[in-house]
Amino acid sequence: MDKKVKRIALLSGGGDCPGLNAVIRSITKTAILKYGYEVIGYVFGYRGLYTNNYIELTVDKVENIYKEGGTILYSSNKDNLFDYLVEDEHGNKVKKDVSDVGVENLKKAGVDVLVVLGGDGTLTSARDFSRKGVKVIGVPKTMDNDLSSTDLTYGFISASSVGTEFIDRLNTTAKSHHRVICCELMGRDAGWIALYSGLAGNASCILIPEIPFTIENIVKHVALRDQQGYPYTVVAVAEGAKYADGTKVIGKIVEDSPDPIRYSGLAAKVADDLEKAIPNHEVRSVNPGHIIRGGDIAPYDRILSIRFGVKACELIDQGLFGNVVTLRGETMGYTSLEEVIGDAKIGKQKRVDPQGELVQAAKAMGVCFGDE
Ligand code: F6P
């Protein structure tokens, strides 16, 4: 048991995600009220750690952010202190390992434990700080729900709830005009958000990265719905889904980013292709983009965020540093940072199983995934 902890610091890195504020709140309140720690928060993630820019967190400051999307600590998805852009003595921009500055700043601020809220990029740096001897606790963050080490992360249910509302709303307008409407949903290379939003919102066609699709199969599905008396179709399109010939739509490649591929535009392409192939229906596409990431968080995520935050404090109290909070079944637990980083690598992420119960249930209900 480590009884010497007096002051902890939080930072959030990577893209924001619904529930981050609620986790900041639960850690701050539990740390202060239950364990008597002081709490500070670095602003703009690791950049704040480098520039020593932090705020004191108090119960009063966090009390009312329980349902607010985003992060009051702000976030940056670029600043890796182990490979950080600085100016050299000639004024040239160069990448350098400035992690020692971070370690020094933690000491200067009297921080005993650093709690890092982030996805794989942010947690990779957390692991590297842990390897340098910093006492670190990780709290995973991905609304894409693609981390194998935990069954669920806060943010996924909120994003899928907003996605569901989009599909609900598109169904009524698609029905009125007998249209086909394709709706693009975030989620990177995992189809969870599109699958949950599509199923809950009654999209009759769902395209996900795990199940390659063809336009011909979607055309067949639309024709079948016509025959069945449903002359409209809403297609939930995961941004990272791919055609059976391997075609994907990439909006932009962003150099100098931990996630260089920025997906955008697949729903528009699918709609274009369908328009050519289905002359008897008008086709439209929408891309809600970041809208599913913003706004208030779902009640389920508010509670999940409390559980992740309280567990993080418990790990600090028990001196279990170098670990990440996880949820397995109904039980909060933890896994080492080393293992979580390994699990976040391409190929080890948690993906939708095309043979799994959920996809099979959807197929039993007549949902088309574009593969048959
Ligand atoms: O990982 C979360 C996520 O929202 C993805 O679903 C999406 O592809 C990506 O981030 C968007 O990133 P950015 O906010 O950098 O555009």
Side-chain angles (χ1 to χ4, degrees):
M1 296 260 276
D2 191 330
K3 283 288 169 202
K4 289 193 213 109
V5 175
K6 289 199 173 57
R7 192 164 160 90
I8 67 169
L10 314 187
L11 69 77
S12 51
D16 73 293
C17 146
L20 269 176
N21 271 333
V23 175
I24 291 169
R25 174 179 181 263
S26 67
I27 295 176
T28 303
K29 285 189 75 174
T30 311
I32 294 172
L33 300 176
K34 178 163 182 191
Y35 297 105
Y37 306 148
E38 291 168 0
V39 187
I40 64 167
Y42 285 103
V43 177
F44 278 112
Y46 289 112
R47 195 194 315 164
L49 179 57
Y50 179 65
T51 56
N52 210 17
N53 181 9
Y54 62 83
I55 56 171
E56 300 285 336
L57 289 171
T58 59
V59 172
D60 199 39
K61 266 194 194 132
V62 300
E63 183 56 12
N64 288 317
I65 58 169
Y66 65 98
K67 66 179 172 105
E68 199 177 302
T71 162
I72 58 163
L73 294 178
Y74 307 109
S75 198
S76 155
N77 54 8
K78 285 210 178 76
D79 302 307
N80 171 6
L81 300 194
F82 293 85
D83 192 27
Y84 197 66
L85 205 57
V86 287
E87 263 189 23
D88 67 10
E89 60 276 22
H90 310 293
N92 300 321
K93 297 260 181 214
V94 287
K95 290 252 181 149
K96 227 176 121 183
D97 179 348
V98 296
S99 56
D100 284 342
V101 178
V103 176
E104 252 334 282
N105 284 342
L106 287 170
K107 279 190 196 140
K108 264 194 226 158
V111 172
D112 301 305
V113 183
L114 179 64
V115 183
V116 177
L117 282 53
D120 48 348
T122 311
L123 291 179
T124 301
S125 292
R127 178 206 56 192
D128 295 341
F129 274 112
S130 175
R131 285 179 178 173
K132 281 177 91 93
V134 176
K135 289 174 179 163
V136 179
I137 299 291
V139 183
K141 175 231 61 166
T142 160
M143 69 171 212
D144 302 335
N145 197 33
D146 58 358
L147 206 56
S148 324
S149 321
T150 180
D151 286 354
L152 205 55
T153 39
Y154 49 90
F156 166 65
I157 297 290
S158 299
S160 302
S161 304
V162 183
T164 300
E165 192 182 340
F166 272 98
I167 304 291
D168 280 346
R169 287 172 183 268
L170 291 174
N171 261 315
T172 61
T173 176
K175 187 174 177 185
S176 305
H177 292 271
H178 290 188
R179 282 176 172 161
V180 175
I181 305 187
C182 303
C183 177
E184 184 160 322
L185 293 159
M186 284 186 168
R188 289 207 155 273
D189 299 304
W192 295 108
I193 295 177
L195 180 60
Y196 270 61
S197 307
L199 257 184
N202 197 23
S204 77
C205 181
I206 302 175
L207 307 179
I208 57 175
E210 295 84 349
I211 306 180
F213 64 89
T214 66
I215 292 295
E216 293 69 36
N217 287 334
I218 305 171
V219 171
K220 265 194 315 190
H221 174 72
V222 172
L224 182 68
R225 279 178 63 83
D226 284 350
Q227 275 171 29
Q228 292 169 336
Y230 303 105
Y232 65 97
T233 298
V234 172
V235 188
V237 183
E239 60 179 4
K242 56 174 184 277
Y243 287 68
D245 67 5
T247 304
K248 293 184 99 161
V249 175
I250 289 168
K252 205 173 176 184
I253 299 283
V254 192
E255 303 297 342
D256 204 24
S257 163
D259 290 319
I261 294 178
R262 196 177 287 165
Y263 288 116
S264 178
L266 179 61
K269 174 167 170 48
V270 171
D272 271 357
D273 291 349
L274 288 175
E275 192 150 46
K276 288 174 202 137
I278 313 177
N280 62 329
H281 288 285
E282 286 190 342
V283 185
R284 298 285 189 271
S285 74
V286 288
N287 186 352
H290 293 76
I291 296 173
I292 65 164
R293 221 161 91 174
D296 283 353
I297 70 169
Y300 184 88
D301 275 340
R302 298 178 197 183
I303 291 167
L304 199 56
S305 302
I306 290 173
R307 297 174 72 195
F308 270 89
V310 171
K311 187 69 188 178
C313 290
E314 198 182 301
L315 296 187
I316 298 171
D317 179 58
Q318 294 176 352
L320 292 167
F321 305 117
N323 287 306
V324 175
V325 180
T326 58
L327 173 73
R328 284 285 182 218
E330 264 314 295
T331 310
M332 296 307 300
Y334 62 91
T335 306
S336 75
L337 267 164
E338 299 286 348
E339 199 175 317
V340 169
I341 298 312
D343 282 352
K345 298 253 177 306
I346 303 286
K348 292 187 82 183
Q349 292 160 333
K350 184 172 63 192
R351 297 286 178 83
V352 176
D353 176 2
Q355 306 311 323
E357 186 249 318
L358 207 50
V359 170
Q360 295 311 315
K363 285 191 171 179
M365 301 275 293
V367 172
C368 163
F369 285 84
D371 57 332
E372 53 191 339

